[in-house]
């Protein structure tokens, strides 16, 4: 006899076709009912959707229920965690997934009072699954997952072993028919009809039982617990029944389905074949402005704010603890990461609130970055110096953006090799000095431009005299200046000795690669397609072609020597739409940068920029959360797509598109994107999507999806009419070494700044310093995550003088073991570190902060470690044998 495990649950989209506050009121009522059922004994267990943010949301309206809620969780009757929010996987970065689980598991431990609470990687409704999820879960000591989308029932067993490229594996239970089972909630059904539906559901799953058992989800989106009569009906329908939670069921499976008995699955789970649930990949391009803002703020937190705070703490003993502010910034960012938020598939009111959260994160990033920079400016350089800060993981030589203020233009621009512009601003001492009053008559000149720097240390700084930088870039550097060459018979040409770029009359670009002597024509063609899709799926209109952009003019913007730029003005006459694209080259850099701006007049259109190939493109190498993934496609012609739709009921047609983190490599192109999260292949081309307009959450007339995917609510603001749009992206020739793509992505996003010093006398006499450096180019940095030392209450033998010296999350980008020598350099003098004679330790930890190994660092600060293939590893320097995460 098949044993039925009944999982009573609610799936909670925190905001979707109603704003967050509306759902929050409903959540309070639902959790009240859950606690009532648990306390009455009607339920033995209930699953609260695997995201702890719901506890915060509930208690905001029911603070008096804290003790009752805690008792239900501590007793194991109410299952919570491990996520903070249920994220979309592909539209956020790997570090965001790590911080999400860190916060969620910390709250789970708090509520359960267990150091290792029983949890599973609960992902019942995300739109496909990244190949890095098994490694992510394993690094948090989670050995299982529960999924629905991205797995075709006919193509996979109900339980399988899923592996990441690094070899990490988790046991996966596939929700064959989804998590949404509402037979006992549906008031239109009679009891016999309910019983018949339940038995039919169980009968279908019983054809592939796992150890003579099946999981019966009871619940769905925003549903409260079933009534006690329905509980009784369920018990009468299946005598051989046990109530369970997602985590307890996966624990039971671990005892009855050992890994050696399971089939092995690798890579992304994005199957959309017959019988598979919808993947809804149109969310990669829906409301692109949300994706762009999110990616910018992720980068700022990970590659700017956190490393600058680390540098400030390392050099200044009195720099205040900013951990609570940083935690608030991350919390607000994570609140925008659920799939109905970051995916852009909710009503307009939801996404207006998303923008407000992004604004708060941006303001917190600004405040933290300003304080860290001012501290370093005051400690490390005088007004006669540039202080060059670099948070990247390689020595940096090249162009750095500079910003300086002064009483006059001459004072502000002193030492800038190239000036981009000046404007009048308020004196900004009041930002960090609470004794200063921001009076309107206290004004100064702010200048922005560029300087040339050489060999700035990784995760460090360099002091350069301002009076030398203006002349430092010359033929002696061995780098050709970036210039615009103007001809009377042709358009102006950009040239930096590495790339030569010429606009053509048709609006495309021709690029000559000086290294390979190759000429690539037809770069940056425009496509603008009519759309009949919705928030979930992109759908071209059959029988229509693309609108053609016309090049109207080319203007000189910058003419070197460090940065040269041209502004190309395009028109889409059908829409009275003007598009401005600034194309830039930096000296010493084989990277072509684009910034496209327009005030949107496009409605129900998809706007793309296209890059050609000599042969059909059938593979793309894309950066993913923890490395890269190769995706395979069957190339199709644009004019043959109509043969695929309308699709049959329950089926979904997917274009040759995919998500981007920061870059993809396709054919001879390296394409980098700042938050443009969709690429698409059209036989001999690869394109980046800049914009897609639609007018409803879900439409019954897309032709590419055989059914609804949500309510048909209108979303007029998703058309972005009248909105000022900006898209930033870049092109480079395909690199010979993969790690070069990671380095160019860091350069494109920006991780170096030049600022004038403010110290009367620098506290440190050396001209430059790096907190940490390593010697293997195949190993790249992911983050400098914040850590802390244990308090005496947590470890009796803790020495109060010990110091946390920095944490570094590193990624092996190759399929081979990589030996890496890490060298930590203590700042001189030692403002917060222990005396020089104090021993220094290097701890290898997992993402959860559990120490896996510790090594004593040599007197020269060096220690050698080995990174497994494709693995992400966290290393923490400390003068203590124990560390913990903030």
């Amino acid at each position: 006899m098949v044993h039925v495990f009944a999982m009573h649950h609610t799936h909670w989209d925190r905001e979707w076709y109603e704003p967050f506050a509306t759902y929050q009121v409903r959540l309070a009522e639902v959790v009240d009912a859950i606690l009532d059922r648990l306390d009455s004994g009607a339920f033995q267990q209930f699953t609260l959707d695997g995201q702890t943010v719901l506890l915060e949301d509930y208690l905001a309206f029911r603070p008096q229920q804290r003790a009752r809620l805690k008792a239900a969780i501590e007793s194991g009757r109410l299952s919570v965690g491990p996520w903070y929010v249920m994220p979309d996987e592909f539209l956020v970065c790997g570090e965001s997934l790590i911080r999400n689980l860190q916060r969620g598991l910390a709250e789970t431990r708090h509520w359960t009072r267990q150091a290792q609470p029983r949890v599973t990687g609960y992902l019942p409704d995300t739109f496909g699954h990244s190949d890095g999820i098994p490694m992510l879960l394993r690094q948090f000591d989670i050995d299982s997952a529960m999924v629905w989308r991205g797995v075709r029932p006919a193509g996979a067993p109900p339980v399988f072993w899923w592996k990441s490229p690094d070899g990490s594996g988790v046991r996966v239970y596939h929700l064959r028919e989804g998590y949404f089972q509402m037979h006992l909630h549906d008031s239109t059904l009679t009891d016999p009809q309910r019983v018949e539906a339940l038995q039919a559901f169980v009968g279908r799953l019983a054809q592939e039982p796992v150890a003579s058992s099946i999981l019966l989800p009871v619940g769905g989106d925003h549903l409260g617990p079933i009534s006690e009569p329905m509980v009784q009906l369920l018990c009468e329908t299946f005598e051989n029944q046990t109530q369970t939670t997602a985590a307890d069921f996966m624990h039971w499976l671990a005892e009855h389905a050992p890994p050696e008995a399971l089939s092995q699955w690798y890579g992304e789970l994005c199957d959309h074949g017959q019988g598979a649930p919808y993947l809804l990949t149109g969310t990669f391009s829906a409301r692109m402005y949300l994706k762009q803002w999110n990616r910018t703020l992720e980068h700022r937190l990970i590659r700017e704010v956190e490393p600058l705070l680390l540098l400030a703490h390392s050099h200044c003993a009195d720099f205040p603890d900013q951990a609570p502010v940083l935690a608030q910034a991350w919390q607000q960012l994570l609140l925008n990461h659920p799939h109905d938020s970051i995916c852009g598939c909710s009503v307009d009111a939801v996404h207006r609130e998303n923008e407000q959260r992004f604004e708060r994160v941006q303001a917190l990033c600004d405040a933290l970055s300003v304080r860290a920079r001012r501290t370093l400016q005051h400690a490390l350089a005088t007004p006669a110096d540039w202080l060059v800060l670099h948070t990247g993981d390689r020595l940096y030589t090249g162009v750095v953006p500079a910003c300086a203020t002064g009483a006059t233009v001459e004072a502000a621009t002193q030492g800038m090799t190239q000036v981009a512009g000046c404007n009048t601003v308020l004196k900004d001492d009041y930002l960090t000095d609470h004794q200063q009053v921001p009076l309107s008559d206290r004004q100064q000149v702010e200048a922005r431009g560029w300087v040339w720097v050489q060999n700035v240390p990784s995760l460090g700084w360099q002091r350069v005299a301002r009076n030398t930088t203006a002349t430092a870039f010359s033929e002696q550097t061995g780098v050709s200046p970036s210039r615009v060459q103007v001809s009377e018979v042709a358009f102006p040409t950009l040239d930096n000795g590495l790339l030569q770029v010429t606009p053509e009359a048709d609006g495309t670009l021709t690029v000559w690669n000086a290294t390979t002597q190759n000429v690539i024509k037809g770069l940056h063609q425009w496509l603008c397609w009519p759309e009949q899709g919705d928030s979930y799926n992109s759908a071209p209109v059959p029988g229509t072609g693309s609108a053609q952009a016309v090049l109207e003019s080319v203007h000189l913007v910058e003419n070197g020597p460090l940065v040269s730029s041209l502004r190309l003005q395009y028109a889409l006459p059908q829409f009275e739409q003007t598009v401005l694209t600034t194309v830039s080259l930096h000296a010493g850099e084989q990277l072509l940068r684009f910034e496209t701006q327009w005030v949107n007049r496009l409605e129900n259109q998809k706007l793309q920029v296209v890059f050609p190939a000599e042969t059909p493109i059938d593979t793309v190498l894309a950066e993913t959360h923890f490395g890269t993934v190769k995706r395979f496609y069957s190339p199709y012609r644009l004019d043959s797509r109509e043969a695929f739709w309308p699709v049959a009921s329950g089926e979904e047609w997917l274009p040759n598109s995919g998500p981007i983190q920061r870059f993809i490599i396709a054919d001879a192109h390296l394409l980098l994107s700042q938050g443009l999260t969709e690429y698409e292949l059209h036989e001999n081309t690869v394109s980046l999507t800049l914009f897609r307009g639609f007018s409803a959450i879900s439409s019954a007339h897309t032709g590419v999806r055989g059914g609804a995917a949500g309510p048909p609510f209108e979303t007029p603001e998703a058309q972005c009419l009248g909105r000022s749009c900006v898209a930033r992206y870049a092109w480079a020739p395909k690199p010979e070494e993969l790690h070069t793509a990671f380095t160019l992505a860091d350069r494109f996003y920006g991780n170096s700044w030049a600022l004038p010093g403010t110290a009367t006398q620098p506290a440190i006499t050396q001209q430059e310093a790096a907190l940490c450096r390593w010697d293997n180019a195949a190993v790249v940095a992911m983050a400098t995550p914040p850590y802390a030392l244990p308090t005496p209450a947590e470890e009796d033998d803790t020495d109060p003088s010990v110091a946390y010296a920095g944490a570094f999350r590193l990624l092996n980008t190759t399929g081979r073991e990589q030996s890496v020598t890490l060298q930590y350099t203590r700042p001189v003098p030692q403002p917060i570190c222990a005396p020089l004679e104090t021993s220094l330790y290097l701890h290898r930890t997992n993402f959860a902060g559990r120490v896996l190994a510790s090594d004593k660092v040599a007197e020269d600060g060096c220690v050698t470690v080995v990174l497994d293939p494709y693995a992400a590893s966290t290393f923490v320097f400390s003068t203590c044998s124990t560390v913990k995460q903030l």
Side-chain angles (χ1 to χ4, degrees), residues 378-656:
H378 191 66
L380 302 177
T382 70
D385 301 318
W386 287 117
L387 176 64
V388 183
L389 301 171
H390 177 48
T391 61
D393 60 3
R394 299 286 183 270
L395 282 174
Y396 186 90
T397 294
V399 179
V400 171
C403 180
T405 56
T408 63
V409 170
E410 292 74 15
T413 58
Q414 178 193 353
M416 282 190 186
T417 308
Q418 184 176 344
V419 178
C422 298
N423 59 298
T424 301
V425 298
L426 292 178
K427 289 190 175 180
D428 50 12
D429 289 346
Y430 72 91
L431 293 175
T432 53
D433 183 353
H434 52 73
Q435 297 298 322
Q436 295 292 324
V437 178
L439 298 179
S440 60
D441 60 339
R442 296 182 179 177
Q443 297 179 340
Q444 61 186 347
V445 175
E446 180 183 70
R448 295 186 176 274
W450 299 275
V451 297
W452 178 264
V453 297
Q454 298 187 76
N455 298 322
V456 182
S458 57
L459 195 65
W461 54 271
Q462 186 180 76
R463 186 165 57 237
V464 184
R466 289 175 72 176
N467 60 7
T468 64
T469 53
T471 57
F473 182 76
S474 65
E475 294 181 1
Q476 295 179 353
T477 65
V479 177
S480 298
S482 186
R483 294 289 192 190
V484 178
Q485 301 173 354
V486 181
S487 169
E488 294 182 359
V489 295
F491 291 112
T493 296
L494 303 178
D495 191 345
N496 68 353
L498 297 173
L499 296 177
Q500 188 178 85
V501 185
T502 304
E504 303 293 346
D506 64 358
T508 64
L509 303 176
T510 297
V511 177
W512 176 68
N513 184 343
T515 303
T516 63
Q517 302 294 301
N518 290 335
V519 176
I520 303 176
K521 296 184 177 181
L523 287 181
H524 204 263
Q525 176 189 352
W526 289 96
L527 285 181
C528 189
W529 291 93
E531 264 278 331
Q532 62 180 19
D534 53 21
S535 70
Y536 293 116
N537 289 87
S538 174
V541 178
T544 61
S546 63
Q548 299 299 311
V550 177
L551 180 64
E552 292 188 323
S553 62
V554 179
H555 297 285
L556 172 65
V557 179
E558 298 286 348
N559 193 11
L562 297 184
V563 176
S564 60
S565 303
L566 297 175
R567 181 165 296 152
L568 284 63
Q569 179 170 312
Y570 298 92
L572 290 162
Q574 301 93 319
F575 308 101
E576 299 182 352
Q577 178 69 66
T578 299
V579 179
L580 299 176
T581 297
T582 301
V583 187
S584 301
L585 280 180
H586 287 196
E589 186 177 83
Q590 200 172 47
L591 184 67
L592 184 59
R593 300 166 182 251
F594 298 90
E595 180 176 282
T596 293
Q597 302 177 354
W598 71 102
V599 177
N600 189 56
R601 298 178 183 273
L602 304 174
E603 187 173 11
N604 295 316
Q605 299 288 319
K606 187 172 186 176
L607 183 66
Q608 297 176 312
V609 287
V610 183
F611 300 83
E614 294 183 358
T615 58
I617 303 175
D618 58 5
T619 60
V620 167
L621 186 69
E623 183 187 26
T624 186
H625 293 117
F626 309 109
T628 55
V629 62
K630 183 173 284 189
R631 301 187 181 123
F632 298 89
Y633 298 90
S634 298
Y636 62 80
R637 294 175 56 87
L638 286 171
D639 56 9
S640 70
R641 292 180 297 180
E642 298 171 21
F644 294 98
W645 68 78
V647 299
S649 176
E651 294 186 6
E652 180 185 30
W653 180 83
L654 296 183
N656 282 353

Side-chain angles (χ1 to χ4, degrees), residues 569-882:
Q569 179 170 312
Y570 298 92
L572 290 162
Q574 301 93 319
F575 308 101
E576 299 182 352
Q577 178 69 66
T578 299
V579 179
L580 299 176
T581 297
T582 301
V583 187
S584 301
L585 280 180
H586 287 196
E589 186 177 83
Q590 200 172 47
L591 184 67
L592 184 59
R593 300 166 182 251
F594 298 90
E595 180 176 282
T596 293
Q597 302 177 354
W598 71 102
V599 177
N600 189 56
R601 298 178 183 273
L602 304 174
E603 187 173 11
N604 295 316
Q605 299 288 319
K606 187 172 186 176
L607 183 66
Q608 297 176 312
V609 287
V610 183
F611 300 83
E614 294 183 358
T615 58
I617 303 175
D618 58 5
T619 60
V620 167
L621 186 69
E623 183 187 26
T624 186
H625 293 117
F626 309 109
T628 55
V629 62
K630 183 173 284 189
R631 301 187 181 123
F632 298 89
Y633 298 90
S634 298
Y636 62 80
R637 294 175 56 87
L638 286 171
D639 56 9
S640 70
R641 292 180 297 180
E642 298 171 21
F644 294 98
W645 68 78
V647 299
S649 176
E651 294 186 6
E652 180 185 30
W653 180 83
L654 296 183
N656 282 353
S657 61
I660 309 174
Q661 286 291 314
R662 294 182 303 172
F663 67 82
I664 60 169
I665 298 174
D667 190 62
H669 308 294
L670 169 64
L671 296 178
L672 301 110
S673 153
Q674 192 166 323
L676 303 175
T677 46
E678 180 186 78
Y679 65 86
E680 189 171 358
L681 305 182
H682 308 142
E683 194 176 38
N684 286 44
T685 65
V686 56
S687 62
L688 295 178
T689 301
L690 275 60
F691 165 79
R692 183 172 71 85
F694 55 91
S695 58
I697 292 178
S698 180
S699 167
H701 308 292
T702 65
V704 300
R705 190 185 63 242
F713 292 173
E714 294 184 355
T715 57
E717 292 175 24
Q719 300 283 7
C720 297
L721 292 176
R723 190 184 188 101
S724 295
C725 301
V726 180
R728 296 181 180 90
Y729 45 101
W731 174 91
K734 179 181 178 180
E736 294 184 4
E737 299 290 341
L738 179 60
H739 62 80
T740 302
F742 288 90
T743 300
L744 286 175
D746 283 344
R747 278 180 172 259
F748 174 55
Y749 272 72
N751 54 14
S752 302
W753 307 269
L755 306 164
T758 58
T760 303
Q761 178 67 41
I764 296 177
T765 58
Q766 61 203 85
Q767 293 296 113
E768 63 181 33
L771 275 187
C772 187
R773 65 184 82 202
W774 51 93
D775 59 356
N776 190 327
V779 175
V780 300
M782 293 178 59
T784 54
Y787 271 67
L789 295 169
T791 64
E794 295 167 332
E795 185 175 296
D796 292 339
D797 60 351
T798 298
D799 181 350
S801 67
V802 297
Y804 154 67
F808 310 92
R809 187 135 42 232
L810 308 182
L811 174 69
N812 180 357
T813 63
T814 74
R816 302 180 302 278
E817 282 189 352
Q818 296 291 336
S819 177
V820 183
T821 299
L822 301 172
Q823 183 177 26
Y824 176 78
T825 305
R826 302 182 182 185
V828 181
Q830 315 288 313
I832 69 167
C833 290
L836 286 172
E837 61 270 14
T838 302
S839 296
L840 188 67
Y841 294 89
L842 179 70
H843 311 279
R844 186 198 294 254
T845 78
N846 64 8
F847 291 164
R850 179 167 58 86
V851 175
L852 307 175
S854 297
D855 295 289
K856 189 174 181 180
V857 179
E859 292 184 2
D860 61 358
C862 293
V863 60
T864 299
V865 297
V866 176
L867 276 67
D868 293 333
Y870 299 120
S873 300
T874 307
F875 298 95
V876 184
F877 284 99
S878 171
T879 57
C880 176
S881 59
T882 308

